[in-house]
Structures are given as structure tokens and as C-alpha cells.
Amino acid sequence: MPQHVQNTPVCRDCHGFAWVAITTGTRHDDGTRVTVHVDCPACLGTGHAHPVRKQEVSI
């Protein structure tokens, strides 16, 4: 059976995992950890690659 390919290319920097939660090491009063959410700087948190513009060459 043929395999279907994704229509949207995945970001090459984050491989589709567009954001992560990083613990700071401190805790809230209820005991849960303080986390910081960080987006992928290449795809801006979308997880998809942006289309590449063709480079123009002038002679």
C-alpha cells in the first residue's frame, strides 16, 4: 500500500515540536514547578517550514 506524504513540510530546526516547556527549578506555593514556554525561532512556533524563496542571480 502506498504511504501518504505530509502536505506541509516540517521545520528542519525543531522537527515539528514547535515549542518546549523548560522548568526554572523553582516551585509555586502549591508545589508545581515554574515553567517557561519557548517557541522555535526558525518557524515561530508553527512547526512548519516556510517556503524558500529562490535566489535571483544577476549577471
Side-chain angles (χ1 to χ4, degrees):
M1 262 181 106
Q3 296 292 325
H4 296 288
V5 180
Q6 283 183 306
N7 290 340
T8 55
V10 177
C11 175
R12 66 181 179 91
D13 293 328
C14 67
H15 301 289
F17 297 98
W19 61 273
V20 295
I22 302 170
T23 60
T24 61
T26 58
R27 293 184 183 261
H28 292 289
D29 293 335
D30 63 354
T32 58
R33 294 207 181 258
V34 177
T35 57
V36 178
H37 297 277
V38 180
D39 292 334
C40 172
C43 66
L44 303 175
T46 62
H48 303 292
H50 299 290
V52 178
R53 294 185 346 204
K54 292 185 179 180
Q55 183 178 5
E56 295 181 13
V57 178
S58 60
I59 298 177

